[in-house]
Amino acid sequence: MTPRDDAPAPLDPVPEPHTGLMGRFRNYFLTGLVVTGPIAITLYLVWWFVTWVDGVVRPFVPLAYRPETYLPYVVPGWGLVVAFFTLTLVGFLAANLIGRTLVDVGETFLGRIPAVRAIYRGLKQVFETLFSGKGSSFRKVGLVEFPSPGMWSIVLISQSPNEDIARSLPGQEEHVSVFLPCSPNPTTGFFFYVPKSRIIEVDLTAEDAATLIMSAGVVQPGSAPDPKKAAALAGVANAARIANASALKAQPAKVE
């Protein structure tokens, strides 16, 4: 059977880009790095934290209560478990009348030591603000024109200054204290007071802002694909593929 002259010519296959052996190895290496890098760093940080807590707590646990006394190896994470239950017990006792009385006596004793008093009060306010869930500090994200006009930096909005500092600040406008984290280490940065009108609040959470700062803008908020949308698109594509295959099978064969 000879092909018809008016039959459309077959489409040429799309040529694949030529990739050498070294290029393929480089792509495979980068793919493996992207996949395993975050997992390895996360596991390392978790292991470092568990090991650090074990090293701090283990000297305070008697030998009779350590698992390595009865096992031929050290059980990692035992100190973390002990610390968790100890902190929970301390919180339970502090919530009672006797516990509150002991805490008040301890705070009174620390308050009489000049060098320790300022450190303790400052740390107590920080922990109460961060872990009580009642404060509004560092829950809002904004933009401030810093370090020069036309350049904007992400800041975490804290509280308004007290009356003494507010009276000392120039102008009549209300000021707000902000923290400007540095990249890629957001634990360091700058703390300053800025007029409230010069802050542009953005719809970002503190976690998204920290991710944006640590990645130096590489990971943008909302850039991660939605698993539900991806699954829906995959389902639509699969249904279309099945429909096309069924339509091709249903077509009658042409008789020449």
Side-chain angles (χ1 to χ4, degrees):
M1 182 180 298
T2 58
R4 297 173 55 183
D5 295 338
D6 57 348
L11 297 177
D12 296 333
V14 179
E16 297 182 357
H18 177 72
T19 304
L21 182 61
M22 295 303 298
R24 291 183 180 180
F25 273 108
R26 182 179 62 87
N27 293 337
Y28 293 154
F29 173 77
L30 294 179
T31 302
L33 184 63
V34 170
V35 172
T36 60
I39 299 176
I41 295 176
T42 302
L43 293 178
Y44 171 77
L45 293 178
V46 172
W47 179 259
W48 171 83
F49 178 75
V50 171
T51 306
W52 176 74
V53 175
D54 287 346
V56 173
V57 177
R58 185 176 289 109
F60 298 96
V61 179
L63 292 176
Y65 297 99
R66 298 183 188 179
E68 58 266 23
T69 305
Y70 311 97
L71 298 175
Y73 53 85
V74 179
V75 178
W78 176 251
L80 185 63
V81 175
V82 174
F84 173 78
F85 283 102
T86 302
L87 293 176
T88 304
L89 179 61
V90 171
F92 171 75
L93 296 177
N96 297 328
L97 179 60
I98 299 177
R100 289 197 298 267
T101 303
L102 294 177
V103 171
D104 293 339
V105 172
E107 290 183 347
T108 303
F109 173 75
L110 293 176
R112 295 180 178 179
I113 305 177
V116 180
R117 177 175 54 195
I119 299 175
Y120 172 74
R121 290 181 178 178
L123 292 177
K124 182 182 178 182
Q125 292 179 359
V126 170
F127 274 77
E128 288 180 349
T129 303
L130 293 178
F131 297 102
S132 64
K134 299 179 181 180
S136 59
S137 298
F138 298 156
R139 300 184 185 274
K140 295 182 180 180
V141 182
L143 295 174
V144 172
E145 201 168 14
F146 182 87
S148 62
M151 302 176 64
W152 296 85
S153 301
I154 294 179
V155 295
L156 301 177
I157 303 175
S158 186
Q159 298 179 354
S160 301
N162 56 22
E163 297 181 358
D164 296 335
I165 298 179
R167 286 195 300 264
S168 302
L169 293 173
Q172 301 297 327
E173 188 176 355
E174 180 182 0
H175 286 70
V176 178
S177 57
V178 298
F179 175 70
L180 192 155
C182 290
S183 177
N185 183 11
T187 59
T188 61
F190 302 94
F191 172 80
F192 52 88
Y193 297 100
V194 61
K196 192 173 183 179
S197 61
R198 298 187 181 181
I199 302 176
I200 302 177
E201 293 190 13
V202 294
D203 189 15
L204 286 179
T205 61
E207 291 78 8
D208 291 339
T211 302
L212 182 63
I213 293 171
M214 285 188 294
S215 65
V218 175
V219 180
Q220 296 292 330
S223 60
D226 190 353
K228 295 182 179 179
K229 293 182 179 179
L233 292 176
V236 172
N238 189 29
R241 182 181 59 82
I242 295 175
N244 292 333
S246 302
L248 290 176
K249 291 181 179 179
Q251 288 181 358
K254 295 182 179 181
V255 180
E256 299 295 339

